[in-house]
């Protein structure tokens, strides 16, 4: 099978296969279909990789079905061992994986090493520990005794986005495999190279053939084939609301496969006048610049109490406007590119909408440089609640700031959105923090910090941010089904 060699951090040469990972082998796609990859930092052609077609999805499903027969009954300790081994291998090859995310995804090498890789390792080890603890409960019934069993769903699929691809892949892979399912991963077509490396590590970790299959392909071809396939029992999707709705509709008209959706957000960061000043500025700045703002929990709506509003806006702009753009592999780079031309043009269009709506540009609002897809950190102040930049997910380093007076007002503003994924509250008053977190409609609320994700804490949204949870023991509920067994105990006096 063909492969490509790329230069990563410290000049290391990284070779990965370009084929589809099916049944623990890399194979070409049907009719040798391929797609082109671009380096978002330069705009230059990067590589060609195989592009899965419907027939390839059928092959992956067949491999998953065959593997499921033995994987679902495998001793839990064998699943635990394989997951822990995969964690060890990712730790060993962390610099290669982070380099690949930088090269084709534009993610800062240091961000991948500091967050994405450690999160992936922690998640694998956390769910490895759950492999022998997926238990049911027993209960007394008039006829005798009943008990429940948590059983794997079967052949499952996961469609992964491009903004944090390894981490989100592992969020789905770890609980799915710990519970005894087999999994087909549709890697993001714009940055699939991490997944090619992951396939190599899955073989090395000792997973049996077919337990994990990885397909790179176009969403409306490979992704659609997964959504439509009658032998896939569950699909977990992270991506845009439009595609999420399509996935849900496809399930309804085919085999009613179980669906979980994480569809983005428009996160509010709420700063009260009693908040720790430097801490609030630190986290609100990070909340819209980490991962170049291309993150579903971005704190893109910043509400600041009117008594400190002017001072905060001035200082926020000072702290967030400057960044060193360049090669994501370089240690001095603090701003990578946005993913592609489409993303860049989308952000520029929102700049015009904001100006037309009368918002005040604090900084940014423009393309940086003459090559690659770089967009300046951008912030608007005095943004109206109904403005497009306050209501719509932009998915970039683009902040909308507005004042508020009271708790009641800011809770209403925070909830005035179709999304409900993550929110942040900054105050030194624990009673206020409790009241506000209780009032906000969101799957996650952080206090005096922003956007933390942890392997042992559930993550997911409400409203149009979707349903279902990654991480935490709650994730196991998404990858299992409950069977109840009722025993009529003959002669029992129960």
């Amino acid at each position: 099978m063909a492969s490509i060699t790329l230069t990563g951090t410290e000049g290391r040469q990284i070779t990965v296969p370009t084929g589809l990972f099916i049944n623990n082998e890399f194979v070409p796609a049907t009719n040798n279909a391929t797609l082109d990859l671009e380096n978002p930092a330069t705009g230059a052609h990067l590589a060609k990789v195989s592009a899965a077609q419907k027939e390839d999805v059928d092959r992956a499903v067949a491999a998953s079905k065959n593997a499921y027969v033995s994987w679902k009954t495998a001793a839990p300790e064998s699943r635990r061992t394989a997951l822990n081994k995969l964690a060890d291998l990712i730790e060993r090859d962390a610099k290669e994986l982070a380099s690949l995310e930088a090269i084709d995804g534009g993610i800062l090498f240091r961000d991948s090493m500091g967050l994405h890789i450690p999160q992936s390792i922690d998640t694998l080890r956390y769910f490895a520990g759950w492999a022998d603890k997926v238990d049911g409960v027993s209960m007394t019934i008039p006829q005798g005794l009943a008990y429940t069993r948590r059983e794997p769903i079967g052949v499952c699929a996961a469609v992964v986005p491009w903004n944090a691809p390894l981490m989100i892949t592992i969020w789905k892979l770890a609980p799915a495999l710990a519970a005894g399912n087999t999994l087909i991963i549709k890697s993001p077509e714009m940055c699939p190279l991490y997944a090619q490396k992951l396939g190599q590590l899955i073989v090395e970790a000792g997973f049996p053939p077919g337990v994990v299959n990885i397909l790179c392909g176009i969403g409306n071809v490979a992704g659609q084939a997964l959504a439509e396939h009658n032998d896939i029992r569950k699909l977990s999707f992270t991506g845009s609301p439009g595609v999420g709705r399509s996935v849900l509709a496809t399930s309804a008209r085919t085999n009613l496969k179980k669906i979980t959706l994480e569809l983005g957000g428009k996160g509010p960061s709420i700063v009260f006048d009693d908040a720790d000043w430097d801490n609030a500025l630190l986290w609100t700045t990070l909340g819209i610049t980490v991962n170049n703002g291309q993150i579903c929990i971005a704190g893109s709506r910043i509400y600041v109490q009117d008594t400190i509003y002017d001072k905060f806006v001035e200082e926020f702009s000072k702290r967030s406007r400057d960044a060193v753009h360049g090669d994501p592999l370089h240690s001095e780079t603090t701003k990578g590119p946005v993913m592609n031309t489409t993303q860049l043009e989308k952000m520029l269009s929102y700049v015009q909408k904001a100006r037309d709506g009368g918002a005040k540009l604090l900084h940014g609002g423009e393309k940086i440089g003459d090559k690659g897809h770089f967009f300046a950190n951008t912030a608007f102040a005095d943004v109206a609640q109904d403005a497009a930049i306050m209501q719509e997910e932009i998915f970039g380093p683009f902040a909308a700031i507005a004042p508020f007076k009271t708790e009641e007002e800011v809770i209403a503003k925070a909830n005035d959105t179709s999304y409900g994924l993550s929110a942040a509250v900054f105050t030194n008053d624990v009673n206020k923090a409790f009241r506000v977190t209780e009032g906000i409609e969101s799957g996650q609320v952080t206090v005096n910090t922003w956007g933390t994700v942890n392997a042992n804490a559930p993550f997911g949204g409400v409203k149009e941010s979707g349903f279902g949870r990654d991480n935490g023991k709650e994730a196991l509920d998404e990858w299992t089904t409950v069977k109840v067994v009722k025993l009529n105990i003959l002669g029992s006096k129960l």
Side-chain angles (χ1 to χ4, degrees):
M1 185 65 224
S3 62
I4 56 172
T5 300
L6 301 165
T7 302
T9 187
E10 301 167 350
R12 66 183 64 219
Q13 299 298 292
I14 306 168
T15 300
V16 293
T18 59
L20 308 175
F21 183 69
I22 300 175
N23 217 35
N24 274 17
E25 296 180 338
F26 288 93
V27 297
T30 299
N31 297 325
N32 291 311
T34 60
L35 55 84
D36 292 308
L37 303 183
E38 178 190 69
N39 183 330
T42 64
H45 181 265
L46 184 62
K48 284 184 180 289
V49 294
S50 294
Q53 307 299 298
K54 182 179 182 301
E55 296 84 353
D56 303 311
V57 170
D58 290 339
R59 284 195 288 161
V61 171
S64 288
K65 286 181 68 176
N66 289 337
Y68 180 64
V69 174
S70 56
W71 184 250
K72 70 177 180 180
T73 57
E77 52 267 30
S78 67
R79 298 200 290 267
R80 180 175 64 237
T81 298
L83 288 167
N84 276 323
K85 179 63 174 177
L86 183 57
D88 294 342
L89 294 173
I90 289 175
E91 190 169 46
R92 182 196 71 188
D93 293 348
K95 289 184 177 180
E96 291 190 13
L97 286 159
S99 292
L100 292 172
E101 287 198 326
I103 293 167
D104 73 348
I107 298 168
L108 294 184
F109 175 82
R110 65 181 191 178
D111 283 357
S112 189
M113 288 293 293
L115 173 62
H116 301 183
I117 304 293
Q119 254 285 311
S120 300
I121 295 166
D122 288 350
T123 301
L124 284 164
R125 290 174 176 161
Y126 174 79
F127 283 106
W130 273 103
D132 60 355
K133 301 176 185 66
V134 185
D135 299 327
V137 296
S138 63
M139 63 210 78
T140 300
I141 58 175
Q143 299 86 357
L145 177 69
Y147 63 91
T148 60
R149 289 172 49 87
R150 282 216 161 265
E151 299 183 343
I153 295 171
V155 175
C156 299
V159 177
V160 178
W162 47 259
N163 62 313
L166 175 64
M167 183 175 74
I168 296 176
T169 294
I170 298 302
W171 284 2
K172 301 176 189 302
L173 178 150
L177 301 191
N181 301 286
T182 54
L183 186 66
I184 303 167
I185 299 161
K186 209 292 279 184
S187 58
E189 59 264 35
M190 287 178 282
C191 56
L193 295 181
Y194 82 95
Q196 304 302 108
K197 174 67 178 178
L198 182 63
Q200 294 176 304
L201 299 185
I202 284 167
V203 175
E204 189 176 351
F207 287 96
V211 170
V212 179
N213 297 281
I214 303 174
L215 306 178
C216 176
I218 301 298
N220 60 13
V221 178
Q224 186 65 25
L226 290 169
E228 291 177 347
H229 208 293
N230 284 327
D231 288 333
I232 293 176
R233 301 289 184 85
K234 186 260 170 72
L235 190 150
S236 175
F237 173 82
T238 298
S240 71
V243 177
R245 286 186 172 88
S246 176
V247 168
L248 199 57
T250 300
S251 172
R253 71 170 186 266
T254 54
N255 66 336
L256 290 175
K257 59 177 61 67
K258 184 175 182 177
I259 301 293
T260 54
L261 302 173
E262 195 270 273
L263 305 179
K266 192 67 178 173
S269 291
I270 300 169
V271 182
F272 286 95
D273 60 9
D274 63 351
D276 182 286
W277 179 254
D278 287 325
N279 183 68
L281 282 163
L282 168 68
W283 287 110
T284 52
T285 299
L286 289 174
I288 196 57
T289 57
V290 164
N291 220 49
N292 220 4
Q294 297 177 122
I295 187 168
C296 52
I297 57 175
S300 54
R301 295 185 294 152
I302 303 174
Y303 296 109
V304 183
Q305 198 151 32
D306 57 352
T307 50
I308 60 170
Y309 179 77
D310 291 338
K311 180 182 176 184
F312 183 94
V313 165
E314 180 181 2
E315 187 63 25
F316 175 85
S317 183
K318 288 179 183 178
R319 297 192 185 200
S320 62
R321 67 163 64 106
D322 296 325
V324 178
H325 79 282
D327 188 337
L329 285 169
H330 293 169
S331 59
E332 67 269 18
T333 301
T334 61
K335 168 175 280 297
V338 297
M339 188 66 238
N340 52 32
T341 300
T342 301
Q343 284 298 110
L344 179 60
E345 291 177 349
K346 177 183 177 182
M347 287 173 223
L348 292 170
S349 73
Y350 274 101
V351 171
Q352 189 58 52
K353 289 179 183 179
R355 284 175 166 152
D356 292 345
K360 176 184 176 183
L361 178 64
L362 297 176
H363 57 261
E366 59 192 2
K367 183 182 186 299
I368 307 173
D370 57 2
K371 67 176 183 178
H373 312 305
F374 291 92
F375 180 75
N377 289 348
T378 297
F380 281 88
D382 306 337
V383 181
Q385 183 64 19
D386 62 354
I389 65 169
M390 190 65 87
Q391 292 294 325
E392 299 170 16
E393 185 177 42
I394 301 172
F395 220 64
F398 202 124
I401 311 173
F404 72 90
K405 290 182 180 295
T406 66
E407 286 181 39
E408 294 76 16
E409 177 192 358
V410 78
I411 290 172
K413 285 183 172 182
N415 292 338
D416 180 24
T417 175
S418 60
Y419 295 103
L421 184 60
S422 187
V425 179
F426 296 90
T427 177
N428 279 337
D429 183 336
V430 67
N431 296 306
K432 184 186 296 179
F434 181 85
R435 293 191 300 267
V436 175
T437 57
E438 288 284 289
I440 292 176
E441 299 167 351
S442 182
Q444 169 176 290
V445 185
T446 59
V447 178
N448 293 328
T449 187
W450 160 84
T452 54
V453 288
N454 307 94
N456 63 345
F459 177 81
V462 298
K463 301 195 290 189
E464 292 184 31
S465 286
F467 47 80
R469 293 294 181 267
D470 292 315
N471 294 339
K473 64 185 180 67
E474 289 81 0
L476 292 166
D477 296 338
E478 311 295 345
W479 296 97
T480 55
T481 185
V482 178
K483 176 187 288 182
V484 62
V485 179
K486 298 179 181 180
L487 302 177
N488 181 14
I489 309 298
L490 300 179
S492 170
K493 296 182 180 180
L494 288 174

